[in-house]
Amino acid sequence: MEGLKQFPIGMQDFAQIRRNGYYYVDKSDLVYKMTHTNRFYFLSRPRRFGKSLLVSTLKCYFEGRKDLFEGLAMEQLEAEWKQYPVLHISFAITKYTDLETLEITLNNLLSEWEKQYGIANESKNEWGNRFARVIKTAYEQTGAEPVVLVDEYDAPLLDSMDDPDLQLALKQKMRKFFSPLKDLGGILRFVFLTGITKFSQLSIFSELNNLKILTMDDDYASICGITKEELLSQMQPEIQALADRQEMSYEDAVTALARKYDGYHFSEQSPDVYNPFSLINSLSDGELTNYWFATGTPTMLTRLIGKYRIDPVTFDRGFEATQDMFDVPAETATNPVPLLYQSGYLTIKGTKKGGRFILGYPNEEVRDGFCKSLMPCYATDDVVTNDTFLMKFSDALEDGDLEQALTLMRAFFSSVPYNAERQDENHYKTLFYLIARLCTPFVVRTEEASAAGRSDMVIETEKAVYVFEFKLDGTVDEALAQIDGKGYLIPYLGRTDADGRAKELYKVGVNFDGATRTLGGWKVRQGQAYA
């Protein structure tokens, strides 16, 4: 469709975006505020949330490239446009599987600066001495205070999380490299560090204790990402184009985008923030796809899944946490919550008195992608087998054929490799949940509350509601009796489909057989809320 915005898919260079007329969500007012308030900052945000673009924007600003900010808020805010020497460092350019890779990266950076400022390398591998000399020479030659911008500082540490000895060696090299930032702080105009994980004073910046941490600062909660206000005020034509392509109304398209990509909150008073990578891809393609997860599951997530027994149901419902439970250095954490939060798989869903937060999945894209990443831990690691089963199970539910769906489930459970340590009742329930959750677009709820208790699971399709109760080595009659006795079906009386017809209600008792490690039997009863 003509006249739609040209989104900078995959671009992180501010100058390229501005020169070539790509759409830019104006964050320059926050850039101005930040650069005129303090001098040393750290910001953590999930991957693909615009950290590199923010660093590039800062680079262009401090280089005095006024023409690139024409029409933006910065044009009216900045009057001087002074030029500073900018030392830009990105650790996101490679994978750090050994110490030599880091040494090559540091040497290349320093050699480039030394060539630029005519410095002879007399210190060889003394990284801190060489970096200090670059900073001092840049200051002496230009008469302006240098600016240091560090993007993805923690990439080497994340790449080495499963190798403590390598991680320690990398930390030591990086600590030496960055040591001048504290001693030469008096001649530095601005220092800005980004990463995924929270800055740790016990890590590579042990001496740099004057950083202003913006990660949970209300004033900068929207500095990366696209807010609901920015979407609705600036992208109406693109939303309408998506609606037309998907054959839905404009309002339904707004709802679908929010459900799929919104939901991030980075502070107590944070506005709604959309995943920018997924959002602009969706509006560009006219599709509602899991773009963020489609770019590849991070290796650190795979490692976490292998190390901890992660319960996706808890994350789906949301759980209470203090800030000390999730906004802490990931490398010192004893559970997966800090890294999952900092990586964008969990976010702040609400706040409570006493400094408590509610954490949970930010949106459907993350929920579904996370559940799919967990499937191999509870079932088989054969993606084709998993996906083939999920498609058949989904089709059976859509056709209202619960007997076929449960028969497929029994066969699939039988194919799961035996693991005596994990196959308890919760293991079966979690696997059942993952399967049901991935069979979108069905609504799946776990431990749904009624007046007298909580049902194990509810699956709601377009035309029916299925309330499940599970037993391990029990009986299906016991399960059905519990549904009746606790009134689990009552909350769904009066549910209607899109045409206003009452949805069919089903009670499903399921028994897991510990000996055969699959579904031992089930009974389905249709109708009333009571027996």
Side-chain angles (χ1 to χ4, degrees), residues 122-137:
E122 300 174 350
S123 303
K124 296 185 179 179
N125 294 335
E126 295 181 13
W127 314 110
N129 290 340
R130 291 175 66 184
F131 191 27
R133 192 171 182 189
V134 167
I135 293 173
K136 286 187 274 190
T137 303

Side-chain angles (χ1 to χ4, degrees), residues 351-457:
T351 59
K352 300 186 73 173
K353 293 181 179 179
R356 295 183 183 181
F357 297 84
I358 305 298
L359 301 185
Y361 296 126
N363 50 49
E364 283 189 358
E365 178 184 28
V366 174
R367 179 192 293 111
D368 294 342
F370 193 82
C371 289
K372 192 160 189 176
S373 297
L374 281 175
M375 273 289 284
C377 296
Y378 286 88
T380 172
D381 57 6
D382 187 333
V383 175
V384 173
T385 298
N386 288 343
D387 286 356
T388 299
F389 160 71
L390 289 171
M391 287 188 290
K392 291 180 179 179
F393 183 82
S394 180
D395 289 343
L397 279 182
E398 190 171 357
D399 294 339
D401 190 347
L402 191 60
E403 284 293 328
Q404 173 66 8
L406 291 172
T407 300
L408 288 167
M409 182 81 78
R410 171 185 279 168
F412 182 73
F413 271 55
S414 297
S415 70
V416 174
Y418 178 59
N419 185 328
E421 293 181 1
R422 304 190 74 173
Q423 290 188 344
D424 54 12
E425 183 174 350
N426 189 62
H427 174 86
Y428 289 112
K429 288 166 64 174
T430 300
L431 180 53
F432 204 111
Y433 161 80
L434 291 173
I435 291 168
R437 177 66 258 177
L438 289 171
C439 290
T440 54
F442 308 125
V443 177
V444 180
R445 306 177 184 89
T446 58
E447 296 192 3
E448 188 75 354
S450 69
R454 293 179 179 273
S455 57
D456 282 335
M457 183 179 298

Side-chain angles (χ1 to χ4, degrees), residues 95-334:
K95 291 292 183 181
Y96 299 88
T97 57
D98 52 53
L99 188 59
E100 183 181 9
T101 301
L102 176 63
E103 292 175 335
I104 292 172
T105 299
L106 296 179
N107 186 64
N108 288 342
L109 279 169
L110 290 164
S111 296
E112 183 178 342
W113 294 330
E114 288 163 346
K115 182 179 179 181
Q116 178 181 353
Y117 292 107
I119 303 171
N121 177 11
E122 300 174 350
S123 303
K124 296 185 179 179
N125 294 335
E126 295 181 13
W127 314 110
N129 290 340
R130 291 175 66 184
F131 191 27
R133 192 171 182 189
V134 167
I135 293 173
K136 286 187 274 190
T137 303
Y139 178 60
E140 292 165 358
Q141 289 186 9
T142 65
E145 301 163 304
V147 170
V148 178
L149 305 175
V150 184
D151 195 18
E152 303 286 9
Y153 89 92
D154 54 350
L157 307 184
L158 292 174
D159 288 342
S160 58
M161 281 189 69
D162 58 352
D163 188 340
D165 292 336
L166 174 59
Q167 187 177 74
L168 178 60
L170 292 170
K171 283 182 181 180
Q172 291 172 341
K173 290 289 184 182
M174 296 177 74
R175 184 180 292 119
K176 291 178 180 178
F177 176 73
F178 286 113
S179 59
L181 295 182
K182 176 64 179 294
D183 296 335
L184 299 179
I187 64 170
L188 291 173
R189 166 62 180 86
F190 192 78
V191 175
F192 186 71
L193 314 170
T194 78
I196 293 176
T197 57
K198 178 182 172 65
F199 168 78
S200 170
Q201 292 182 345
L202 301 176
S203 187
I204 61 175
F205 301 103
S206 57
E207 296 179 351
L208 195 59
N209 55 12
N210 57 341
L211 284 173
K212 169 68 173 176
I213 299 178
L214 301 180
T215 301
M216 293 189 67
D217 191 314
D218 286 333
D219 290 342
Y220 297 96
S222 64
I223 198 167
C224 289
I226 298 173
T227 67
K228 180 180 180 180
E229 180 183 2
E230 290 166 339
L231 170 67
L232 297 180
S233 65
Q234 302 175 33
M235 306 180 196
Q236 298 96 327
E238 290 72 28
I239 297 173
Q240 186 61 60
L242 171 70
D244 294 343
R245 184 179 178 91
Q246 296 296 322
E247 298 182 347
M248 59 176 61
S249 68
Y250 178 90
E251 291 74 18
D252 287 343
V254 170
T255 299
L257 287 169
R259 186 172 60 245
K260 197 77 173 177
Y261 311 123
D262 192 11
Y264 286 94
H265 302 92
F266 297 109
S267 68
E268 189 169 352
Q269 301 298 325
S270 172
D272 283 352
V273 178
Y274 287 72
N275 182 315
F277 178 80
S278 295
L279 182 61
I280 65 174
N281 270 281
S282 175
L283 294 177
S284 180
D285 295 345
E287 301 289 345
L288 292 164
T289 301
N290 292 340
Y291 293 98
W292 196 58
F293 257 90
T295 59
T297 303
T299 54
M300 59 184 174
L301 177 59
T302 304
R303 293 165 185 160
L304 276 180
I305 292 171
K307 184 176 180 180
Y308 299 102
R309 187 167 186 179
I310 295 175
D311 181 6
V313 178
T314 299
F315 296 163
D316 205 358
R317 292 197 304 266
F319 62 97
E320 289 190 25
T322 63
Q323 186 171 336
D324 290 340
M325 293 170 61
F326 62 90
D327 187 35
V328 296
E331 70 269 27
T332 61
T334 57

Side-chain angles (χ1 to χ4, degrees), residues 454-468:
R454 293 179 179 273
S455 57
D456 282 335
M457 183 179 298
V458 176
I459 299 178
E460 184 172 0
T461 67
E462 292 182 358
K463 296 182 179 180
V465 177
Y466 303 94
V467 175
F468 291 82

